[in-house]
Amino acid sequence: MNKYVLILLGAIGVGKGTQAQRLAQHLKIPQISTGDILRAEVQAGTELGLEAQRIMNRGELVPDDVIIEVVRKRLLEPDAVRGAILDGFPRTVPQAQALDGLLKDIDLPTPNVVSIEVPQEEIVDRLSSRRVCATCGAVFNLKMNAAAMEQHACPKGQANIIQRDDDRPDTVLQRLKVYEEKTMPLINYYRRAGALRQVSGIGSENEVFARILIAMDPELT
Ligand code: AMP
């Protein structure tokens, strides 16, 4: 049984979530998005959700030990036995180090890493027009697919299209700053490990998907 772990790196708003969903379908392994898990906790009003909400709204990162535990539990679920597409995790060097240990413990291979790269001005522009369905998580962009947004039939029944609280302009700038400070060092971490592939995130969703497939282990594509 082939096992595979892919980390999608990239600043906020580069299309990681959309590409992670497609890759998960393609490779038949789950997408694990720590942002989605935290938002579900917020909606459910759990203790973790309450703690995370304040931090997320400020554009900061939840503490490493908290998020590592979230990922550990998620990777132990049966659907992740062949691996996963990690989207939004790791985001700091200590998280990456913890992930290396965790993958060894649960007998999953060392991760491949694809970094999706988009210039900062383009990111701010994209995020200000990003909308999501709060019920099912589908992502839209006012500029590109307003029609899809109008026709959206939510698989969970009740479409609820909103702007994420943390997509407001001041929080976006803070999130980009946190990305530069805390997450950029991961590029070097994985480059040194020989695991890093970099692709441009400019162009259509299909074009970026094709680039990622080429950048990944060719046996899988
Ligand atoms: P995302 O949907 O990936 O942009 O995540 C939204 C927010 O959730 C982030 O701005 C952080 O506050 C929090 N978050 C998600 N993943 C992590 C992580 N790996 N480490 C710390 N905080 C995270």
Side-chain angles (χ1 to χ4, degrees):
M1 186 168 65
N2 282 343
K3 295 183 175 184
Y4 192 70
V5 177
L6 179 73
I7 296 170
L8 273 189
L9 277 187
I12 53 166
V14 300
K16 286 193 303 291
T18 310
Q19 297 295 341
Q21 246 170 34
R22 291 186 62 165
L23 288 163
Q25 277 168 10
H26 185 77
L27 298 173
K28 300 189 176 57
I29 52 179
Q31 168 199 12
I32 299 183
S33 156
T34 42
D36 284 351
I37 295 174
L38 293 175
R39 281 183 287 278
E41 297 282 337
V42 170
Q43 269 209 328
T46 63
E47 202 177 314
L48 168 61
L50 291 177
E51 184 191 348
Q53 186 167 33
R54 277 180 288 118
I55 298 172
M56 290 163 86
N57 286 347
R58 289 202 306 265
E60 305 285 345
L61 296 182
V62 305
D64 286 337
D65 54 341
V66 173
I67 203 77
I68 289 163
E69 183 54 19
V70 165
V71 172
R72 193 185 69 81
K73 279 204 190 121
R74 181 62 188 87
L75 279 172
L76 286 172
E77 285 180 30
D79 65 336
V81 66
R82 282 186 50 238
I85 310 292
L86 297 177
D87 155 22
F89 180 90
R91 255 183 161 92
T92 65
V93 171
Q95 289 180 19
Q97 289 165 334
L99 177 66
D100 288 343
L102 183 58
L103 293 175
K104 272 199 194 107
D105 287 350
I106 59 181
D107 198 24
L108 283 173
T110 51
N112 286 307
V113 183
V114 173
S115 167
I116 306 178
E117 314 210 331
V118 172
Q120 181 153 332
E121 316 77 72
E122 164 99 12
I123 291 178
V124 175
D125 195 44
R126 284 188 193 184
L127 284 181
S128 58
S129 52
R130 172 161 83 174
R131 297 293 180 274
V132 294
C133 173
T135 314
C136 74
V139 181
F140 303 96
N141 190 293
L142 290 181
K143 290 185 188 156
M144 286 153 64
N145 49 12
M149 219 166 75
E150 270 171 30
Q151 289 159 14
H152 173 59
C154 176
K156 295 191 181 160
Q158 204 169 35
N160 178 17
I161 297 188
I162 56 159
Q163 180 173 42
R164 275 170 49 173
D165 281 342
D166 59 355
D167 279 349
R168 305 222 167 95
D170 50 338
T171 317
V172 163
L173 291 179
Q174 174 61 16
R175 287 163 70 206
L176 283 170
K177 190 166 148 250
V178 168
Y179 175 78
E180 297 259 322
E181 278 171 23
K182 305 264 174 70
T183 309
M184 279 293 270
L186 286 182
I187 299 277
N188 275 333
Y189 181 87
Y190 287 120
R191 184 179 286 130
R192 276 199 297 272
L196 182 75
R197 305 283 177 275
Q198 289 166 289
V199 301
S200 162
I202 298 287
S204 72
E205 205 181 294
N206 284 342
E207 283 164 347
V208 178
F209 186 63
R211 284 183 206 130
I212 296 174
L213 290 183
I214 291 168
M216 286 169 29
D217 188 342
E219 274 175 35
L220 290 157
T221 60

